[in-house]
Amino acid sequence: MTPLDALLELLARVGASRDAAALVSEEELSEWPTEAVREFKSKKLLVKASPATSVVCSGCEQECVMPVHTLIHETRGPASFIVCDKRDDINRVPVTAERLKQWRCDIDAVCKFISRSLGLRPDSRRANGAGLLEIGIAAGDKRHHMLCLKADGELALIAGSTALPLAELVRYRESAFSIDNATIRQLVDSATTADNRYTPSNARREARKLDTHTMYESWQKEYRSLKKRRQEMSDVWYSQQIARMDIGKGRSAETIRKHMRT
């Protein structure tokens, strides 16, 4: 995984979560490029979140996702554990505080990242009930226009009636993440000044949504196939197998797990 791959993964999770926050565990972050994680935290794309309330149980090879219980001892402090209800020979499985650490990224954090990258005056507010966030007035070579962000399964930047997926505009150069300013200027110049400026062209977005739907269907098909052959394994195991295949498309096992059953 390259730093740019890590950013694309993070943005994909935020887009999929829509208005909710995308959560990334400390354990998963340790597998991402160190320079990318450092940039995420520096640019406030990742901030500390509340401890996780469920984790993958390490009590056996099933790797079930189980709720975490925490008891506070007067002298030893908090102790977290999982209560296994699948087997009689396990009972409580200790969970370290480190495994409960997680980080969050939400749509507002993405807007601020875009605004800072382009040098815009922040203007994060809902626009016309269209489910858009106004980021700020961006300049082209011919005109200025309000730049908006839309989350509808994926993140897209919008100016007037034109939309471009955010994933196509992010860059990683000289150890820093940024937005392609030249393409933004072209986006602004192609925008209309009519009242429907917040209505994006649907053609490209719909095509990408179809591609995403097809990808999810391939995960679901492979999940059913794996489950027939290895019924005793956990969903985490299935998602890890799919992540190693070409149909995984470089997505994380956790992202695959969320979509392979629906």
Side-chain angles (χ1 to χ4, degrees), residues 7 15 49 54 96 174 197 213 225 233 244 250:
L7 178 57
S54 63
T96 64
E174 299 179 356
R197 62 180 182 161
H213 179 71
S225 176
M233 305 307 292
R244 298 188 183 102

Side-chain angles (χ1 to χ4, degrees), residues 196-261:
N196 66 345
R197 62 180 182 161
Y198 297 118
T199 306
S201 172
N202 288 328
R204 192 170 186 176
R205 176 161 56 88
E206 291 302 319
R208 289 181 65 87
K209 286 175 67 176
L210 181 60
D211 289 343
T212 300
H213 179 71
T214 301
M215 180 176 65
Y216 289 168
E217 284 188 334
S218 68
W219 295 351
Q220 293 156 15
K221 181 179 179 181
E222 184 60 31
Y223 167 69
R224 292 191 295 268
S225 176
L226 287 170
K227 198 168 181 64
K228 286 181 180 178
R229 300 198 302 269
R230 300 289 300 275
Q231 296 182 9
E232 75 283 2
M233 305 307 292
S234 68
D235 282 355
V236 172
W237 186 87
Y238 297 134
S239 64
Q240 290 172 343
Q241 305 313 303
I242 296 173
R244 298 188 183 102
M245 302 176 184
D246 290 341
I247 61 173
K249 302 291 185 183
R251 301 300 195 273
S252 71
E254 177 61 19
T255 297
I256 293 171
R257 186 182 66 81
K258 291 178 180 178
H259 297 285
M260 69 185 186
R261 298 188 64 176

Side-chain angles (χ1 to χ4, degrees), residues 19 107-109 111-112 115 121-137 145-151 158 197-198:
D19 286 338
I107 199 80
D108 287 330
C111 283
K112 290 175 182 177
S115 178
R121 181 179 178 181
D123 193 3
S124 293
R125 63 180 186 274
R126 293 291 175 185
N128 294 347
L132 305 180
L133 277 172
E134 294 181 336
I135 298 173
I137 300 296
H145 212 288
M146 177 62 73
L147 190 66
C148 298
L149 181 69
K150 185 177 180 66
I158 297 168
R197 62 180 182 161
Y198 297 118

Side-chain angles (χ1 to χ4, degrees), residues 30-44:
S30 68
E31 299 176 356
W32 289 14
T34 303
E35 58 270 40
V37 175
R38 183 169 55 246
E39 266 289 281
F40 291 156
K41 295 177 180 178
S42 172
K43 288 184 162 45
K44 306 298 184 184

Side-chain angles (χ1 to χ4, degrees), residues 39-47 104-105 109-110 116:
E39 266 289 281
F40 291 156
K41 295 177 180 178
S42 172
K43 288 184 162 45
K44 306 298 184 184
L45 276 169
L46 282 179
V47 297
R104 71 191 301 273
C105 179
V110 175
R116 287 192 297 267

Side-chain angles (χ1 to χ4, degrees), residues 23-26 47-53 100-104:
L23 298 173
V24 186
S25 69
E26 182 81 9
V47 297
K48 283 187 177 179
S50 301
T53 57
L100 298 180
K101 291 181 180 179
Q102 57 183 358
W103 299 77
R104 71 191 301 273

Side-chain angles (χ1 to χ4, degrees), residues 8-150:
L8 294 177
E9 172 67 20
L10 185 62
L11 295 177
R13 294 191 190 187
V14 175
S17 68
R18 291 179 167 83
D19 286 338
L23 298 173
V24 186
S25 69
E26 182 81 9
E27 188 175 20
E28 185 176 5
L29 275 188
S30 68
E31 299 176 356
W32 289 14
T34 303
E35 58 270 40
V37 175
R38 183 169 55 246
E39 266 289 281
F40 291 156
K41 295 177 180 178
S42 172
K43 288 184 162 45
K44 306 298 184 184
L45 276 169
L46 282 179
V47 297
K48 283 187 177 179
S50 301
T53 57
S54 63
V55 296
V56 176
C57 178
S58 58
C60 72
E61 69 281 358
Q62 294 295 319
E63 296 185 320
C64 304
V65 177
M66 301 288 287
V68 175
H69 305 273
T70 300
L71 296 179
I72 307 297
H73 191 275
E74 291 182 358
T75 58
R76 294 195 294 268
S80 299
F81 55 89
I82 290 169
V83 178
C84 178
D85 58 0
K86 313 296 183 184
R87 293 173 49 163
D88 297 330
D89 59 337
I90 295 180
N91 197 13
R92 289 189 178 186
V93 179
V95 179
T96 64
E98 191 70 18
R99 290 195 64 201
L100 298 180
K101 291 181 180 179
Q102 57 183 358
W103 299 77
R104 71 191 301 273
C105 179
D106 58 26
I107 199 80
D108 287 330
V110 175
C111 283
K112 290 175 182 177
F113 161 67
I114 297 169
S115 178
R116 287 192 297 267
S117 295
L118 298 175
L120 306 181
R121 181 179 178 181
D123 193 3
S124 293
R125 63 180 186 274
R126 293 291 175 185
N128 294 347
L132 305 180
L133 277 172
E134 294 181 336
I135 298 173
I137 300 296
D141 295 323
K142 301 176 182 177
R143 59 169 62 92
H144 291 69
H145 212 288
M146 177 62 73
L147 190 66
C148 298
L149 181 69
K150 185 177 180 66

